[in-house]
Amino acid sequence: KNKKPLHVTQDDFLDAFEEFSSSADSIHISTGYVSVASLQYLIENVKNNALPHLHLTIGMHHFDGFTRAQYDSAFSLATHLNQSKKGSASICKSFPYHGKVYGFYKNGRPFASILGSSNLSSLCRADSYSFEVDTILEDPEMLRQISEFQRELNEKACEPFLDWEPKDFNKSVVVPFAEKLSGSDFGNYLRLEQFDSFNLLLKPEEKSNLNVC
């Protein structure tokens, strides 16, 4: 994603994720942090069959905690994946896992992987504020090693999310006068094209009191 004053010509994370997902029959995601918006993105697209079989590993929240909204969204996703037999969700308990690995599989074999700094929140452009850098891997031997790492991480260091219970919840940030969107309104908002623009009302005077930062 471009951030002024930088301009890059390569595909951003979401474009690459959706391109590989369209050719995959299974996705393995091992990420540090999740956001409500990104979890809702996964739920909506798995339910609509826009995403294939999905395995999600959450790496940091056992140690850093969830907000109530994050936990409820993760629980909803894990429940749907389990009941629909469309995948699974797990949480890392052995150590804080801060990596970000997205593996794409076809007929049981990985054909591409995205490695870098993008947490799950990068699935939602409006939810991502920082500049992230990722690389695409397609070398068969590297993909085999990454796939093996994701498998061992899940089997040896994680617990099924539906078996895990939080001890407490982090407090959500309260924004004065903000209104909570319904699920459908939130989904519509994510599909809106986002523009970096705003209007300023200037005084019609020779000298303005506008301060430029």
Side-chain angles (χ1 to χ4, degrees):
K1 181 179 179 179
N2 286 314
K3 296 283 186 184
K4 295 179 180 179
L6 294 181
H7 179 77
V8 295
T9 57
Q10 292 86 354
D11 287 345
D12 67 8
F13 173 82
L14 179 60
D15 291 333
F17 180 89
E18 292 188 335
E19 178 183 349
F20 290 130
S21 296
S22 66
S23 302
D25 54 30
S26 180
I27 304 173
H28 293 210
I29 299 174
S30 307
T31 187
Y33 292 101
V34 299
S35 66
V36 173
S38 60
L39 291 167
Q40 292 297 327
Y41 170 93
L42 293 179
I43 292 170
E44 180 178 335
N45 284 286
V46 168
K47 285 184 176 180
N48 293 337
N49 295 316
L51 287 177
H53 205 80
L54 174 66
H55 298 280
L56 172 65
T57 298
I58 301 171
M60 294 296 295
H61 288 277
H62 172 75
F63 301 92
D64 290 354
F66 286 97
T67 64
R68 182 76 207 208
Q70 287 173 331
Y71 173 77
D72 287 346
S73 295
F75 186 85
S76 294
L77 174 63
T79 300
H80 177 74
L81 292 174
N82 183 62
Q83 292 179 347
S84 63
K85 301 188 184 305
K86 290 184 177 180
S88 63
S90 61
I91 186 165
C92 190
K93 291 180 61 180
S94 298
F95 47 77
Y97 168 77
H98 197 252
K100 296 93 179 177
V101 183
Y102 303 80
F104 303 89
Y105 293 72
K106 186 74 173 180
N107 299 322
R109 293 188 176 185
F111 66 87
S113 184
I114 301 175
L115 230 67
S117 64
S118 289
N119 278 304
L120 202 67
S121 58
S122 294
L123 289 174
C124 305
R125 291 189 176 101
D127 200 35
S128 181
Y129 302 102
S130 55
F131 194 103
E132 308 293 351
V133 178
D134 304 288
T135 187
I136 294 171
L137 301 177
E138 297 177 292
D139 176 74
E141 177 57 22
M142 293 185 71
L143 291 176
R144 185 195 66 77
Q145 292 181 31
I146 292 169
S147 176
E148 182 67 13
F149 165 76
Q150 287 187 286
R151 184 188 65 79
E152 288 197 1
L153 173 70
N154 192 58
E155 291 181 357
K156 297 180 179 180
C158 298
E159 178 178 298
F161 191 85
L162 294 178
D163 295 340
W164 178 84
E165 292 185 6
K167 295 179 180 178
D168 200 0
F169 293 107
N170 298 336
K171 291 183 179 179
S172 300
V173 176
V174 177
V175 181
F177 309 110
E179 295 183 9
K180 185 176 181 180
L181 296 175
S182 67
S184 58
D185 287 340
F186 189 81
N188 291 333
Y189 168 74
L190 293 179
R191 286 187 283 270
L192 291 176
E193 187 72 32
Q194 302 296 314
F195 297 95
D196 296 327
S197 64
F198 56 90
N199 297 320
L200 287 176
L201 181 62
L202 301 179
K203 292 183 179 181
E205 299 174 357
E206 247 184 75
K207 292 185 178 180
S208 171
N209 59 359
L210 176 66
N211 292 320
V212 179
C213 298

